[in-house]
Amino acid sequence: MSLQATIDRALAETPPGRVVWVALSGGLDSSLLLTLAAAACRRHPRPLYALHVHHGLQDAADGFELHCRRLCSHLGVPLYVERVAVERDAGLGLEGAARQARYAAFARRVTPGETLWLAQHRDDQAETFLLAALRGSGVRGLAAMPGRREWQGRRLERPLLAHTRVELEAEAERLGLPWIDDPTNADESLDRNFLRRSVLPLLQSRWPHAVDALARSSRHAADAEEMIEALAEDDLAALGGEPGCLPVAGLASLEPARCRSLVRLACRRLGLAPPPSARLDTLLIQFEAREDAQACVDWADAEARLWRGQLYLQRRLAALSAEWRAEWRGVEPLPTPWGEAAVALAPADGHPVRLVLLPRRGGERLRLAGRGRRDLKRLLQEAGVSPWARERVAVAWYEETPVAALLLPEGRWVAVAAGWRAQPAV
């Protein structure tokens, strides 16, 4: 199938009226993709936009943007430019940090329900497979880049994935298409460039079809990952369907490989980075502890905790600082270290008051309707608040009296004193 026919087909499969974005860097691949997409839109009308992410990492960046503006003006395609700041010290490496910034820009500009086209091709797929193998990735990593997937309510597609760079170059030359070569592509200190410029050519000198073979292996891995994912979905449903809270006994009854797959699936469902293999093995060992034991295994910005026979997977959050304090009238959003909490608290007579929110310090007692004065620690236990979450409980004081306890950042009222009424987070 020709490149133009491939793009025509991909566009025809996009629901009518759905906006299609093309991530436009200014290089050969994305410039050609946008050109073919603009031609396809004349046969299959769809709203088409280009999105250029200006990373600001090199002097040539302004030239990339200028090329994109000229190309879009020639094609009659609206262009949007997102300028990003790449966090070089984020521990992701330069390539990883740039990718993170780029996807954050995609999320800001592309609306849920819309489609974003990326210009990776078969050679990119082979490189990604090799990088994953060299990192010791599992089947999911070896599956490399999917042709299409749902991402934060948006559809990401790579319509050129079945074609080689040689095919793309030939088509661009046939069309007389200009593009910009990124100077950093010659920097072999970057892993992908080293593979592209030194490793793959050497492999192809011995095995001419190396790129095709590696791409096929990634497709086989993708098929295997699909079956593993389906099995993990079944296991999650059998254990209650709640990815953030899984019964340890049920997890321990699974074969280790299935258990690892289920934990990884649960993390993805929660938007957490899956644990590295070593941390995951450490976590599985904890399942053998007695039922009342508490354990914590953390990685990246996530953590797994065992408590009362349950495994809790969640984002790692700090305790409330002992110095934290918020003055509040009980009606406007409450400022907290995790953002504003949409909660309300007022005396039953509705009179305006001034409240002070402080971290729980221990020993607070609330006077509850029909129960008298009760220790807050006991109330938290009765409400099933975990020990680590109790470190994020804020106590509302009216004058010298504690009148309510609020669990942050969820914004959940745990206990409210008699004569007061509270509203949950909206």
Side-chain angles (χ1 to χ4, degrees):
M1 184 181 297
S2 71
L3 281 161
Q4 186 63 69
T6 295
I7 300 306
D8 279 25
R9 179 176 177 178
L11 192 67
E13 292 175 352
T14 303
R18 171 175 279 185
V19 173
V20 175
W21 293 81
V22 172
L24 180 64
S25 69
L28 163 67
D29 311 335
S30 63
S31 296
L32 179 60
L33 176 58
L34 182 65
T35 301
L36 298 175
C41 280
R42 290 193 285 271
R43 289 177 287 277
H44 307 283
R46 301 286 190 282
L48 179 66
Y49 301 101
L51 173 58
H52 175 71
V53 179
H54 189 301
H55 296 87
L57 293 174
Q58 52 182 301
D59 295 338
D62 289 339
F64 301 156
E65 179 183 336
L66 178 60
H67 166 76
C68 292
R69 291 191 181 281
R70 287 172 174 169
L71 178 62
C72 289
S73 176
H74 172 71
L75 296 173
V77 175
L79 172 69
Y80 294 84
V81 176
E82 285 283 336
R83 294 177 176 267
V84 300
V86 178
E87 297 183 20
R88 295 173 179 265
D89 301 324
L92 300 171
L94 182 60
E95 292 172 282
R99 182 182 185 278
Q100 185 180 70
R102 188 160 56 252
Y103 273 76
F106 293 163
R108 286 194 299 273
R109 180 60 65 178
V110 181
T111 302
E114 297 177 342
T115 297
L116 174 65
W117 280 3
L118 305 173
Q120 287 94 356
H121 47 74
R122 195 186 307 174
D123 297 62
D124 295 322
Q125 187 77 311
E127 294 164 8
T128 303
F129 177 87
L130 283 175
L131 285 169
L134 292 168
R135 287 194 298 264
S137 299
V139 173
R140 187 176 183 84
L142 296 176
M145 299 176 292
R148 65 178 59 180
R149 69 182 176 99
E150 295 299 317
W151 173 73
Q152 298 183 13
R154 304 150 177 89
R155 174 173 286 189
L156 298 188
E157 294 188 8
R158 297 178 173 89
L160 298 177
L161 205 55
H163 296 272
T164 65
R165 180 175 177 85
V166 170
E167 292 178 82
L168 270 60
E169 288 176 343
E171 181 68 6
E173 290 175 2
R174 187 185 70 81
L175 295 172
L177 178 68
W179 68 83
I180 296 291
D181 284 319
D182 187 340
T184 63
N185 286 340
D187 181 3
E188 293 195 21
S189 68
L190 301 176
D191 292 342
R192 187 176 288 274
N193 289 345
F194 176 67
L195 286 177
R196 179 179 303 151
R197 295 173 62 87
S198 295
V199 175
L200 275 174
L202 180 60
L203 291 175
Q204 289 172 302
S205 70
R206 179 64 178 266
W207 297 282
H209 301 295
V211 167
D212 292 340
L214 293 170
R216 280 199 306 274
S217 292
S218 74
R219 288 198 298 273
H220 296 325
D223 290 341
E225 169 61 19
E226 187 174 334
M227 290 187 289
I228 293 170
E229 184 96 351
L231 182 58
E233 293 277 6
D234 290 343
D235 288 339
L236 177 60
L239 295 185
E242 176 50 60
C245 181
L246 298 166
V248 172
L251 289 166
S253 69
L254 299 173
E255 292 293 328
R258 287 178 64 173
C259 187
R260 286 192 289 268
S261 295
L262 175 52
V263 172
R264 292 189 183 107
L265 171 68
C267 287
R268 290 194 295 273
R269 284 282 193 87
L270 296 167
L272 304 174
S277 297
R279 303 303 288 162
L280 188 49
D281 290 342
T282 298
L283 176 60
L284 266 59
I285 292 172
Q286 304 300 322
F287 293 171
E288 301 174 4
R290 66 181 189 275
E291 186 171 341
D292 62 342
Q294 296 184 32
C296 177
V297 176
D298 59 17
W299 64 93
D301 63 345
E303 64 181 14
R305 290 183 178 267
L306 270 64
W307 184 55
R308 293 183 176 178
Q310 302 289 317
L311 172 67
Y312 293 87
L313 296 168
Q314 57 200 16
R315 197 167 303 282
R316 188 168 65 249
L317 297 174
L320 269 174
S321 168
E323 289 74 36
W324 179 75
R325 172 191 176 97
E327 296 187 1
W328 189 44
R329 292 179 300 173
V331 289
E332 69 276 14
L334 170 67
T336 80
W338 297 280
E340 292 185 338
V343 293
L345 178 67
D349 59 17
H351 289 166
V353 294
R354 296 187 67 84
L355 300 166
V356 174
L357 273 288
L358 297 172
R360 170 175 167 261
R361 305 186 189 281
E364 296 93 342
R365 295 173 65 83
L366 274 66
R367 183 174 61 84
L368 303 185
R371 298 184 61 186
R373 295 175 64 81
R374 289 291 183 270
D375 183 76
L376 178 56
K377 179 179 179 180
R378 178 62 60 85
L379 294 175
L380 295 175
Q381 292 173 340
E382 292 175 359
V385 178
S386 63
W388 60 90
R390 295 171 201 169
E391 299 174 351
R392 301 192 305 275
V393 171
V395 179
W397 293 78
Y398 176 60
E399 296 179 347
E400 301 297 322
T401 303
V403 295
L406 180 67
L407 179 61
L408 297 173
E410 294 91 334
R412 175 165 70 91
W413 293 106
V414 180
V416 179
W420 291 78
R421 67 173 186 273
Q423 298 294 327
V426 176

